[in-house]
Amino acid sequence: MTKAFPSIARRLKSTGIKLLKMGTFLITRFIASWKRYFLGDTVDVRPSPSPSPSPSFDNARPSLAGPVLTLGGGGPDVDDAIQWMINQVRGGSNSGTRVNVVVLRTNGNHDYNRLIYAMKGVNSVETLLIRNREEANKAEIYEKVRNADVIFFAGGDQCQYIRNWKDTKLEAAVKSVYLKGGGIGGTSAGAMIQSDCVYDACASSEKGIETRDALDDPYRDITFTYNFFNWSNLKGTIVDTHFDRRQRMGRIMAFIARQIKDGVSNSVLGIAVSESTSVLVDKNGLVKVMGRGDAYFVLGNHIPEVCEPRKPLTFSNYKIWKVRSGDTFNLRNRPTSGYYLRSVKRGRIDSNPY
C-alpha cells in the first residue's frame, strides 16, 4: 500500500501540469485573439457619458469641446494636425484637460503610441488591432473606445475597415465619441472611411482604381459604401487621399459623377487631400489645410452628360477650389467664387486640373 503513494503522487503531479498548460494555452489564445498596445496613466480616467438616444448627432450635449475631424492625405503624418485635434477637444492649447486617445487599425503595430503620447495634453494612448467582426463586437473593446476622447484611424485598407467594423459595437462606440464632442482623425484609408460616401475599393485589385480606368469606365470595379460614419459636417462628401502624388483628380471626378447619376445626391463635394497634408474640420464646419501640400474641393452639381457602364465619362464644369496650406474653406457656407472649371470629355480632362 505504501508503495502506491509515490505512483499516485506522480500521476497527480502530471495531471496538474497538464491542466496548468491547458489553462495557459486557453488564456494565451484569448489574449491573442485581439492585440492592444497601451502607453500612459489609465484609459478610464474619465469615463464617458452614455450616448444620447437621439438619432441626431447635433442634438447631443458634448462634454468635450468638439466634435472636430482631421483628414490626412497619407504618407508622413502631419503631427501638428493631430495636436490641433487634441487641443480642440481639450478646449484650447492652454487647457488643463488631458485626453485619452485610441488608435484603431486592422493590422500593423503601435508606432503611433509614442508620437501621440509625447503631445501636449495627452493622458494616455492605446492602439487596438481589430481584425474581424467578432473582435469589433467585444464588450471590452466597445468600452475602451467609448471611454476615449480622441479616435485616430491609421492608414490601411478601407475595404477591410468597412467589412470588419461596419454595423458593429465598435462603430457605435466611435460615433459616441463624436457625440460627446470628441475628435475623430485618420489618414489615407482612415480618412476616406469618414466621408458620407466611401469609395470602398472592395471590387478592385489591391492597387485600387486609378484615374485612367475610372474615367474610361466609371462603373467597372468601382463600388461605394454608405452610412458608415455620418459626420454632420461631411454630409454630401467623398474623401480621396494620396492625391497629388497619384494624380487622382480624374478618379474623384468619376466618383462624384457616379453619385449624381445613381441618384444618391444631386450635388457632391469631393475632398481631395495630398500626401503629408491634413484637412482640419472644426465643429462649425470651417476647414483649415495644414502640411506640405494642397487640398482640393471638387464640386459636381448637375447630371453628367455621359456616365454609363463601359463608356468613357463626359461631365462638364466641375468647380474646383485649390486650397493651399494655411488657407481655409467653409463646408457649411461654401464660397461662391475662387474656383476654376474643368470638364471631362470622352474620358479625358480638358486641361490641367491641378
Side-chain angles (χ1 to χ4, degrees), residues 35-324:
K35 290 185 178 180
R36 58 185 291 256
Y37 305 93
F38 175 69
L39 186 63
D41 292 337
T42 172
V43 170
D44 300 322
V45 169
R46 186 183 60 228
S48 307
S50 298
S52 165
S54 168
S56 171
F57 294 157
D58 295 324
N59 291 335
R61 294 187 61 186
S63 60
L64 300 168
V68 296
L69 306 168
T70 66
L71 308 172
D77 289 289
V78 183
D79 297 354
D80 288 344
I82 301 174
Q83 181 69 73
W84 173 90
M85 176 171 58
I86 291 167
N87 288 341
Q88 289 288 308
V89 170
R90 294 169 61 220
S93 58
N94 295 321
S95 171
T97 300
R98 299 174 67 205
V99 297
N100 299 311
V101 182
V102 168
V103 179
L104 295 176
R105 56 198 315 166
T106 54
N107 57 66
N109 55 35
H110 57 292
D111 52 0
Y112 276 105
N113 281 22
R114 292 196 178 278
L115 168 69
I116 295 176
Y117 188 62
M119 294 183 176
K120 186 176 181 180
V122 174
N123 178 71
S124 69
V125 186
E126 185 162 18
T127 294
L128 302 177
L129 272 61
I130 316 300
R131 297 165 294 189
N132 53 57
R133 297 184 66 80
E134 180 183 1
E135 293 172 0
N137 279 308
K138 286 183 178 292
E140 183 178 358
I141 289 176
Y142 171 80
E143 288 299 321
K144 286 180 178 296
V145 175
R146 187 179 71 89
N147 288 337
D149 306 305
V150 172
I151 303 294
F152 188 84
F153 298 111
D157 181 345
Q158 63 264 34
C159 183
Q160 291 301 312
Y161 287 171
I162 289 166
R163 285 177 173 170
N164 294 329
W165 298 350
K166 192 176 187 301
D167 300 323
T168 65
K169 291 181 179 179
L170 175 66
E171 177 188 355
V174 173
K175 289 179 176 178
S176 76
V177 175
Y178 181 94
L179 272 168
K180 67 179 179 181
I184 312 292
T187 185
S188 189
M192 294 176 69
I193 61 173
Q194 296 188 58
S195 54
D196 205 15
C197 163
V198 181
Y199 164 61
D200 57 35
C202 290
S204 58
S205 65
E206 184 177 336
K207 185 178 179 181
I209 295 295
E210 294 297 341
T211 281
R212 180 175 291 277
D213 291 334
L215 291 178
D216 283 347
D217 184 348
Y219 283 84
R220 184 179 179 183
D221 297 333
I222 298 176
T223 54
F224 302 96
T225 291
Y226 306 94
N227 301 313
F228 193 15
F229 299 117
N230 308 108
W231 307 146
S232 58
N233 285 320
L234 295 186
K235 290 186 183 300
T237 67
I238 182 166
V239 173
D240 206 354
T241 58
H242 299 278
F243 201 69
D244 275 355
R245 184 173 181 179
R246 300 185 188 179
Q247 298 288 297
R248 284 180 165 173
M249 182 65 82
R251 170 168 122 148
I252 203 167
M253 287 173 162
F255 294 167
I256 291 168
R258 275 283 307 275
Q259 305 317 301
I260 298 173
K261 178 64 184 231
D262 294 350
V264 175
S265 178
N266 294 325
S267 175
V268 179
L269 182 71
I271 302 176
V273 194
S274 301
E275 291 191 5
S276 302
T277 307
S278 285
V279 165
L280 319 177
V281 186
D282 74 9
K283 62 183 178 182
N284 298 313
L286 183 64
V287 164
K288 183 175 181 179
V289 178
M290 182 180 291
R292 298 179 182 176
D294 306 311
Y296 298 83
F297 296 83
V298 185
L299 179 65
N301 57 3
H302 60 84
I303 297 291
E305 289 83 349
V306 179
C307 184
E308 299 176 18
R310 297 178 295 279
K311 289 187 178 181
L313 176 68
T314 294
F315 192 123
S316 61
N317 295 331
Y318 289 92
K319 294 180 179 178
I320 304 174
W321 290 265
K322 181 176 182 178
V323 182
R324 300 184 184 279

